[in-house]
């Protein structure tokens, strides 16, 4: 069975949508074989939670990382805020590589982590809903 790490960050902005160049990470939540939450209040501020995330990533050594909008929000924040705090974000021996490609009128972001699959569910949902919309179908989002 593959070791899978589920990832989500909670970010804060006083003005508009959070920007990794100026806004901070308040929490990083992970789910592996157990749930871990690193918060700025109890884990040494933003620098501390980024360091703890890196330590936990290396300890667990996931073969796959999964999340929603992780390529758009979580990875860019972790990498940029790490730089702002003097933390070198190195996972599996290399810094995550943030890339993007043009697809159906939008840029799909992608994060490459050496030796690890990175699966962002946002583009999957975007593709599914835009295919249905292109066909004139309604999309049942549940609830």
């Amino acid at each position: 069975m593959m070791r899978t790490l589920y990832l989500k960050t909670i970010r804060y902005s006083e003005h508009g949508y959070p920007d990794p160049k100026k806004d901070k990470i308040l929490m990083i939540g992970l789910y592996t074989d157990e749930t871990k939450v690193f918060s700025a209040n109890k884990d040494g501020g933003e620098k501390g939670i980024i360091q703890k995330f890196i330590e936990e990533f290396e300890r667990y050594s996931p073969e796959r990382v999964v999340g929603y909008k992780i390529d758009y929000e979580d990875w860019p924040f972790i990498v940029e805020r790490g730089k702002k705090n003097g933390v070198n974000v190195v996972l599996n021996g290399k810094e995550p590589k943030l890339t993007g490609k043009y697809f159906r009128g939008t840029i799909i972001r992608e994060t490459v982590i050496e030796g690890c699959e990175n699966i962002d569910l946002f583009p999957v949902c975007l593709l599914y809903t835009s295919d249905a919309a292109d066909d004139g179908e309604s999309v049942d989002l549940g609830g």
Side-chain angles (χ1 to χ4, degrees):
M1 185 165 166
M2 289 187 86
R3 287 181 313 282
T4 302
L5 181 148
Y6 299 89
L7 167 68
K8 193 64 196 160
T9 62
I10 304 296
R11 300 149 324 274
Y12 175 75
S13 173
E14 287 188 25
H15 306 287
Y17 200 79
D19 177 354
K21 293 190 184 325
K22 61 180 181 169
D23 298 315
K24 294 185 177 187
I25 300 171
L26 298 179
M27 285 189 204
I28 299 178
L30 307 174
Y31 178 76
T32 56
D33 47 351
E34 59 184 309
T35 301
K36 295 206 175 191
V37 177
F38 306 121
S39 74
N41 290 339
K42 69 177 179 79
D43 291 307
E46 184 180 50
K47 180 176 183 174
I49 62 177
I50 294 169
Q51 289 171 324
K52 287 185 182 263
F53 164 72
I54 294 167
E55 289 167 11
E56 182 61 21
F57 188 97
E58 293 298 321
R59 183 199 70 75
Y60 186 69
S61 189
E63 297 165 281
R64 174 188 303 141
V65 177
V66 178
Y68 183 79
K69 288 191 125 182
I70 57 176
D71 291 335
Y72 292 81
E73 298 172 354
D74 303 310
W75 287 124
F77 259 86
I78 291 168
V79 170
E80 182 65 30
R81 298 308 302 170
K83 289 176 185 173
K84 293 276 186 191
N85 284 282
V87 177
N88 192 14
V89 178
V90 173
L91 306 171
N92 294 337
K94 291 191 176 182
E95 185 174 306
K97 182 179 174 188
L98 308 174
T99 67
K101 57 187 168 194
Y102 186 76
F103 179 75
R104 289 191 176 185
T106 191
I107 293 179
I108 301 293
R109 293 185 180 179
E110 182 178 35
T111 304
V112 177
I113 301 166
E114 189 71 28
C116 183
E117 288 181 314
N118 181 66
I119 301 171
D120 187 339
L121 298 173
F122 175 67
V124 174
C125 294
L126 181 65
L127 177 64
Y128 174 76
T129 56
S130 52
D131 278 351
D134 289 345
D135 295 338
E137 298 175 21
S138 64
V139 177
D140 181 9
L141 299 177

